[in-house]
Amino acid sequence: MPVSTVNDIDIHWEMRGNEAGARVLFIGGTGGDLRKTPNVFDGPLAKSAHVLTFDQRGLGRTSKPDGPYSMEDYADDVAGLMAALGWDDAHVIGVSFGGMVAQHLVARHPARVTRLVLCCTSPGGDGGSSYPLHEVAAMEEEKRIRFMMPISDTRHTPAWQADNRELVDSLIRMQIDGEAPYRDEPRRAEGALLQLDARRHHDAWDGLDAIRQDVLICGGKYDGIATPETQARLAERIPSATLRMYEGGHLFLLQDARAWADIISFVTGTPGDDA
């Protein structure tokens, strides 16, 4: 298992893909764990790029130190991992919580970032925050999944869920079963809550107008977690930003194949094979 010691924690990382392609660092979202699939390596990105990703502090097989954690901690972990692996810089893709981390990374370590992709994320502060997931963390698992379904994708109303009951039940069971092998791991629950607490304090708004890299902002038209309005504010705030919206909710990367094609084109200059 590839592990690097960074900032006094052991970070589990994985690197795959086209070694001749552009270096792309992928920062995943809330609760991310590389043991769960599908993950970024199951999509088209790794066919075109040399992709590095990792379990963030408190998650997966990375260390789960005592908290609190800060967004600055997460950003410094990324920069430290890049240094440990000899990556002076890379194109950076941040999804959801990972997009929040990426905003702090480019603010604190701008030389590490060549081009930046922010997916279904938020700036915090005066720019607006994503849905407060810390407020639903204590819900029973199935109840929480059902509660979040119409927020994650605003098309999935109670009426839609009633009309698609078998599909909804199947999706919920898949999520619950996907967590089952790891649910009782030591400090897994504590690490997840510490991440949510850091997320609650995320605010990168004031520094966004200082970003000089080219930035692609991607969002889902029906996302109630990181709303279209928030994506528009991000794009207005960042000088060299391009905004593209897709047919989907918070999981638009799985719902609209055009999204990965556009992202791959942005970071590598070549379209994804599966797009």
Side-chain angles (χ1 to χ4, degrees):
M1 182 177 77
V3 172
S4 294
T5 301
V6 175
N7 299 330
D8 296 323
I9 66 171
D10 291 333
I11 296 181
H12 167 72
W13 55 270
E14 296 186 22
M15 191 185 303
R16 301 186 207 169
N18 180 2
E19 293 187 7
R23 285 180 171 179
V24 175
L25 173 72
F26 181 87
I27 312 176
T30 301
D33 185 329
L34 288 174
R35 293 172 294 186
K36 295 189 290 187
T37 56
N39 62 37
V40 66
F41 296 122
D42 297 307
L45 180 64
K47 294 181 180 180
S48 301
H50 192 199
V51 181
L52 167 66
T53 191
F54 62 102
D55 290 334
Q56 300 191 68
R57 64 169 55 216
L59 304 175
R61 286 170 283 183
T62 287
S63 299
K64 302 168 180 64
D66 292 338
Y69 304 165
S70 69
M71 297 305 300
E72 291 80 9
D73 290 334
Y74 285 102
D76 291 348
D77 288 346
V78 177
L81 178 62
M82 293 178 72
L85 297 179
W87 280 36
D88 293 333
D89 55 35
H91 303 310
V92 175
I93 301 172
V95 176
S96 194
F97 177 81
M100 301 177 196
V101 174
Q103 292 169 59
H104 291 273
L105 174 68
V106 75
R108 294 172 65 80
H109 308 278
R112 294 282 181 193
V113 181
T114 49
R115 285 191 159 199
L116 178 61
V117 182
L118 300 175
C119 297
C120 52
T121 192
S122 71
D126 291 340
S129 298
S130 293
Y131 189 87
L133 297 180
H134 60 278
E135 294 183 358
V136 300
M139 281 187 180
E140 183 273 329
E141 189 172 18
E142 180 173 343
K143 183 178 179 181
R144 183 177 69 252
I145 295 170
R146 289 188 184 277
F147 177 84
M148 289 302 302
M149 190 168 287
I151 299 172
S152 178
D153 191 318
T154 58
R155 297 170 296 181
H156 295 168
T157 62
W160 179 91
Q161 293 183 52
D163 290 340
N164 295 273
R165 188 178 305 277
E166 289 188 9
L167 173 62
V168 169
D169 289 346
S170 175
L171 291 172
I172 291 172
R173 179 50 50 192
M174 285 176 60
Q175 290 189 54
I176 292 174
D177 290 347
E179 289 288 335
Y182 321 113
R183 189 175 288 114
D184 297 326
E185 286 182 341
R187 291 192 57 77
R188 180 177 178 84
E190 290 88 346
L193 289 174
L194 286 165
Q195 185 194 36
L196 289 179
D197 191 58
R199 180 185 185 276
R200 179 167 66 94
H201 296 288
H202 163 64
D203 183 357
W205 179 252
D206 287 344
L208 294 180
D209 57 358
I211 294 176
R212 295 295 173 259
Q213 289 85 346
D214 289 333
V215 180
L216 176 62
I217 297 170
C218 302
K221 294 179 181 178
Y222 310 103
D223 190 348
I225 295 178
T227 65
E229 294 79 13
T230 303
Q231 310 315 298
R233 286 193 291 271
L234 266 174
E236 291 169 358
R237 184 72 169 175
I238 299 173
S240 298
T242 298
L243 173 63
R244 292 181 181 163
M245 301 298 296
Y246 298 95
E247 291 296 322
H250 200 63
L251 300 179
F252 72 89
L253 287 169
L254 300 176
Q255 296 170 309
D256 190 338
R258 297 175 302 163
W260 271 122
D262 288 346
I263 291 168
I264 291 167
S265 179
F266 180 75
V267 298
T268 71
T270 58
D273 294 340
D274 294 355

